[in-house]
Coordinates of all heavy atoms in Angstrom, one line a residue:
A1 N 0.8 -1.2 0.0 CA 0.0 0.0 0.0 C 0.9 1.2 0.0 O 1.9 1.3 0.7 CB -0.9 0.0 1.2
G2 N 0.5 2.2 -0.8 CA 1.3 3.4 -1.0 C 2.3 3.4 -2.1 O 2.8 4.4 -2.5
G3 N 2.5 2.2 -2.6 CA 3.4 2.0 -3.7 C 2.8 2.4 -5.1 O 1.7 2.8 -5.2
S4 N 3.6 2.1 -6.1 CA 3.3 2.5 -7.5 C 3.5 1.3 -8.4 O 4.4 0.5 -8.2 CB 4.1 3.7 -8.0 OG 3.8 4.8 -7.2
L5 N 2.7 1.3 -9.5 CA 2.9 0.4 -10.6 C 2.6 1.1 -11.9 O 1.7 2.0 -11.9 CB 2.1 -0.9 -10.5 CG 2.4 -2.0 -9.5 CD1 1.3 -3.0 -9.5 CD2 3.7 -2.6 -9.9
R6 N 3.2 0.7 -13.0 CA 2.8 1.2 -14.3 C 2.4 0.1 -15.2 O 3.2 -0.8 -15.5 CB 3.9 2.0 -15.0 CG 3.4 2.7 -16.2 CD 4.5 3.6 -16.9 NE 5.4 2.8 -17.7 CZ 6.1 3.3 -18.7 NH1 6.0 4.6 -19.0 NH2 7.0 2.5 -19.4
L7 N 1.2 0.1 -15.6 CA 0.6 -0.9 -16.5 C 0.8 -0.4 -17.9 O 0.7 0.7 -18.2 CB -0.8 -1.2 -16.2 CG -1.2 -1.6 -14.8 CD1 -2.7 -2.0 -14.8 CD2 -0.4 -2.8 -14.3
S8 N 1.1 -1.4 -18.8 CA 1.2 -1.1 -20.2 C 0.1 -1.9 -21.0 O -0.2 -3.1 -20.6 CB 2.6 -1.5 -20.8 OG 3.5 -0.7 -20.1
C9 N -0.4 -1.4 -22.0 CA -1.3 -2.1 -22.9 C -0.7 -1.9 -24.3 O -0.8 -0.8 -24.9 CB -2.7 -1.4 -22.8 SG -3.9 -2.1 -24.0
A10 N -0.1 -3.0 -24.8 CA 0.5 -3.0 -26.1 C -0.4 -3.5 -27.2 O -1.1 -4.6 -27.0 CB 1.8 -3.8 -26.1
A11 N -0.6 -2.8 -28.3 CA -1.5 -3.2 -29.3 C -0.8 -3.6 -30.6 O 0.2 -3.0 -31.0 CB -2.4 -2.1 -29.6
S12 N -1.3 -4.6 -31.2 CA -0.8 -5.0 -32.6 C -2.0 -4.9 -33.5 O -3.2 -5.0 -33.1 CB -0.3 -6.4 -32.6 OG -1.2 -7.3 -32.1
G13 N -1.7 -4.7 -34.7 CA -2.8 -4.6 -35.7 C -2.7 -3.2 -36.3 O -1.8 -2.4 -36.1
R14 N -3.7 -2.9 -37.1 CA -3.7 -1.7 -37.9 C -4.3 -0.5 -37.2 O -5.2 -0.6 -36.4 CB -4.4 -1.9 -39.2 CG -3.8 -3.0 -40.0 CD -4.7 -3.3 -41.3 NE -4.7 -2.1 -42.1 CZ -5.4 -2.0 -43.2 NH1 -6.2 -3.0 -43.6 NH2 -5.4 -0.9 -44.0
A15 N -3.7 0.7 -37.5 CA -4.4 2.0 -37.1 C -4.6 2.1 -35.6 O -5.7 2.5 -35.3 CB -5.6 2.2 -37.9
F16 N -3.7 1.9 -34.8 CA -3.9 2.0 -33.4 C -4.3 3.4 -33.0 O -5.2 3.6 -32.1 CB -2.5 1.7 -32.6 CG -2.6 1.9 -31.2 CD1 -3.3 1.1 -30.3 CD2 -1.9 2.9 -30.6 CE1 -3.3 1.2 -29.0 CE2 -1.9 3.2 -29.2 CZ -2.7 2.3 -28.4
S17 N -3.9 4.4 -33.7 CA -4.3 5.8 -33.4 C -5.7 6.1 -33.7 O -6.2 7.2 -33.4 CB -3.4 6.8 -34.1 OG -3.5 6.6 -35.5
S18 N -6.4 5.1 -34.3 CA -7.9 5.3 -34.5 C -8.7 4.8 -33.4 O -10.0 5.0 -33.4 CB -8.3 4.5 -35.8 OG -7.6 5.0 -36.9
Y19 N -8.1 4.2 -32.3 CA -8.8 3.6 -31.2 C -8.8 4.4 -30.0 O -7.7 4.8 -29.6 CB -8.3 2.2 -31.0 CG -8.6 1.2 -32.1 CD1 -7.7 1.1 -33.2 CD2 -9.6 0.3 -32.0 CE1 -8.0 0.2 -34.2 CE2 -9.9 -0.6 -33.0 CZ -9.1 -0.7 -34.1 OH -9.3 -1.6 -35.1
A20 N -9.9 4.5 -29.3 CA -9.9 5.0 -27.9 C -9.6 3.7 -27.1 O -10.0 2.6 -27.4 CB -11.3 5.5 -27.6
I21 N -9.0 3.9 -26.0 CA -8.6 2.8 -25.1 C -9.2 3.1 -23.7 O -9.2 4.2 -23.2 CB -7.1 2.8 -25.0 CG1 -6.4 2.6 -26.4 CG2 -6.7 1.6 -24.0 CD1 -6.7 1.3 -27.0
G22 N -9.6 2.0 -23.1 CA -10.1 2.1 -21.7 C -9.4 1.1 -20.8 O -8.9 0.0 -21.3
W23 N -9.3 1.4 -19.6 CA -8.8 0.5 -18.6 C -10.0 0.1 -17.7 O -10.7 1.0 -17.2 CB -7.6 1.1 -17.7 CG -6.3 1.1 -18.4 CD1 -5.7 2.1 -19.0 CD2 -5.4 0.0 -18.5 NE1 -4.5 1.7 -19.5 CE2 -4.3 0.4 -19.2 CE3 -5.4 -1.3 -18.0 CZ2 -3.1 -0.4 -19.4 CZ3 -4.3 -2.2 -18.3 CH2 -3.2 -1.7 -19.0
F24 N -10.1 -1.1 -17.4 CA -11.1 -1.6 -16.5 C -10.5 -2.6 -15.5 O -9.3 -3.1 -15.7 CB -12.2 -2.4 -17.3 CG -13.0 -1.5 -18.2 CD1 -12.5 -1.1 -19.4 CD2 -14.2 -1.0 -17.8 CE1 -13.2 -0.2 -20.3 CE2 -15.0 -0.1 -18.6 CZ -14.4 0.2 -19.9
R25 N -11.2 -2.9 -14.4 CA -10.6 -3.8 -13.4 C -11.8 -4.7 -12.9 O -12.9 -4.2 -12.8 CB -9.9 -3.1 -12.3 CG -10.7 -2.2 -11.4 CD -9.8 -1.5 -10.5 NE -10.6 -0.6 -9.5 CZ -10.1 0.2 -8.7 NH1 -8.8 0.4 -8.6 NH2 -10.9 0.9 -7.9
Q26 N -11.4 -5.9 -12.4 CA -12.4 -6.8 -11.9 C -11.8 -7.5 -10.7 O -10.8 -8.2 -10.8 CB -12.8 -7.8 -12.9 CG -14.0 -8.6 -12.4 CD -14.6 -9.4 -13.6 OE1 -14.1 -9.5 -14.7 NE2 -15.9 -9.8 -13.4
A27 N -12.3 -7.2 -9.5 CA -12.0 -7.9 -8.3 C -12.8 -9.2 -8.1 O -13.9 -9.3 -8.7 CB -12.2 -7.0 -7.1
P28 N -12.3 -10.1 -7.4 CA -13.1 -11.4 -7.2 C -14.5 -11.1 -6.7 O -14.7 -10.4 -5.7 CB -12.2 -12.2 -6.2 CG -10.8 -11.7 -6.4 CD -11.0 -10.2 -6.7
G29 N -15.4 -11.7 -7.3 CA -16.8 -11.6 -6.9 C -17.5 -10.3 -7.2 O -18.6 -10.0 -6.8
K30 N -16.8 -9.5 -8.0 CA -17.4 -8.1 -8.3 C -17.4 -8.0 -9.8 O -16.8 -8.7 -10.6 CB -16.5 -7.0 -7.8 CG -16.5 -7.0 -6.2 CD -15.8 -5.7 -5.7 CE -15.9 -5.6 -4.2 NZ -15.2 -4.4 -3.7
E31 N -18.2 -7.1 -10.3 CA -18.3 -6.8 -11.7 C -17.1 -6.0 -12.2 O -16.5 -5.3 -11.4 CB -19.6 -6.0 -12.0 CG -20.9 -6.8 -11.8 CD -22.0 -6.3 -12.6 OE1 -21.9 -5.3 -13.2 OE2 -23.1 -7.0 -12.6
R32 N -16.9 -6.2 -13.5 CA -15.8 -5.4 -14.1 C -16.2 -3.9 -14.1 O -17.3 -3.5 -14.5 CB -15.6 -5.8 -15.5 CG -14.3 -5.4 -16.2 CD -14.0 -6.1 -17.4 NE -13.8 -7.5 -17.2 CZ -13.3 -8.3 -18.1 NH1 -13.0 -7.9 -19.4 NH2 -13.2 -9.6 -17.9
E33 N -15.3 -3.1 -13.6 CA -15.6 -1.6 -13.5 C -14.6 -0.8 -14.2 O -13.5 -1.1 -14.4 CB -15.6 -1.2 -12.0 CG -14.3 -1.3 -11.3 CD -14.3 -0.8 -9.9 OE1 -15.4 -0.4 -9.4 OE2 -13.2 -0.7 -9.2
F34 N -15.1 0.4 -14.6 CA -14.3 1.4 -15.3 C -13.3 2.0 -14.4 O -13.5 2.3 -13.3 CB -15.3 2.5 -15.8 CG -14.6 3.7 -16.3 CD1 -14.0 3.7 -17.6 CD2 -14.5 4.9 -15.5 CE1 -13.3 4.9 -18.0 CE2 -13.9 6.0 -16.0 CZ -13.3 6.0 -17.2
V35 N -12.1 2.2 -15.0 CA -11.0 2.8 -14.3 C -10.6 4.1 -15.0 O -10.6 5.2 -14.3 CB -9.7 1.9 -14.2 CG1 -8.6 2.6 -13.6 CG2 -10.1 0.6 -13.4
S36 N -10.3 4.0 -16.3 CA -9.9 5.2 -17.0 C -10.0 5.0 -18.5 O -10.1 3.9 -18.9 CB -8.4 5.5 -16.6 OG -7.9 6.7 -17.3
T37 N -10.0 6.1 -19.2 CA -10.1 6.0 -20.7 C -9.3 7.2 -21.3 O -9.1 8.3 -20.7 CB -11.6 6.0 -21.1 OG1 -11.6 6.0 -22.5 CG2 -12.3 7.3 -20.7
I38 N -8.9 7.0 -22.5 CA -8.1 8.0 -23.2 C -8.6 8.0 -24.7 O -8.8 6.9 -25.3 CB -6.6 7.8 -23.1 CG1 -5.8 8.9 -23.7 CG2 -6.2 6.5 -23.8 CD1 -4.4 8.9 -23.3
S39 N -8.7 9.2 -25.3 CA -9.1 9.3 -26.6 C -8.0 8.9 -27.6 O -6.9 8.7 -27.2 CB -9.5 10.8 -26.9 OG -8.3 11.6 -26.8
R40 N -8.4 8.8 -28.8 CA -7.4 8.2 -29.8 C -6.2 9.2 -30.0 O -5.1 8.8 -30.2 CB -8.0 8.0 -31.1 CG -8.5 9.2 -31.9 CD -9.3 8.9 -33.1 NE -9.5 10.0 -34.0 CZ -10.4 10.1 -34.9 NH1 -11.3 9.1 -35.1 NH2 -10.5 11.1 -35.7
S41 N -6.5 10.5 -29.8 CA -5.4 11.5 -29.9 C -4.6 11.6 -28.6 O -3.5 12.2 -28.6 CB -6.0 12.9 -30.2 OG -6.8 13.4 -29.1
G42 N -5.2 11.2 -27.5 CA -4.6 11.4 -26.2 C -5.0 12.6 -25.5 O -4.6 12.9 -24.4
G43 N -5.8 13.5 -26.3 CA -6.1 14.8 -25.7 C -7.3 14.7 -24.8 O -7.6 15.7 -24.1
G44 N -8.0 13.6 -24.8 CA -9.1 13.5 -23.8 C -8.9 12.3 -22.9 O -8.6 11.2 -23.4
T45 N -9.1 12.5 -21.6 CA -9.0 11.5 -20.6 C -10.1 11.6 -19.6 O -10.6 12.7 -19.4 CB -7.6 11.5 -19.9 OG1 -7.5 12.8 -19.2 CG2 -6.5 11.4 -20.9
A46 N -10.4 10.5 -18.9 CA -11.3 10.5 -17.9 C -11.0 9.4 -16.9 O -10.3 8.4 -17.3 CB -12.8 10.3 -18.4
Y47 N -11.4 9.6 -15.6 CA -11.1 8.6 -14.6 C -12.3 8.3 -13.7 O -13.2 9.2 -13.5 CB -10.0 9.2 -13.7 CG -8.7 9.5 -14.4 CD1 -8.5 10.8 -15.0 CD2 -7.7 8.6 -14.5 CE1 -7.4 11.1 -15.7 CE2 -6.5 8.9 -15.2 CZ -6.4 10.1 -15.8 OH -5.2 10.4 -16.4

């Protein structure tokens, strides 16, 4: 607790810059929940 991690999401395929990306998480016994999202340009983010 109090520490840090950096997650990476590496994509293969065409036109990665055309995709918006979201991060979600799922704890045991819970539904998958929204964490963060970023627009295809990187100019829009939400948490």
Side-chain angles (χ1 to χ4, degrees):
S4 298
L5 285 173
R6 189 177 79 158
L7 304 185
S8 297
C9 173
S12 60
R14 301 177 60 183
F16 174 70
S17 60
S18 298
Y19 290 84
I21 303 294
W23 282 100
F24 294 80
R25 65 187 182 186
Q26 189 166 17
K30 295 188 176 181
E31 290 204 355
R32 194 169 297 189
E33 65 174 4
F34 167 77
V35 175
S36 183
T37 179
I38 189 165
S39 64
R40 69 187 194 200
S41 69
T45 60
Y47 300 89

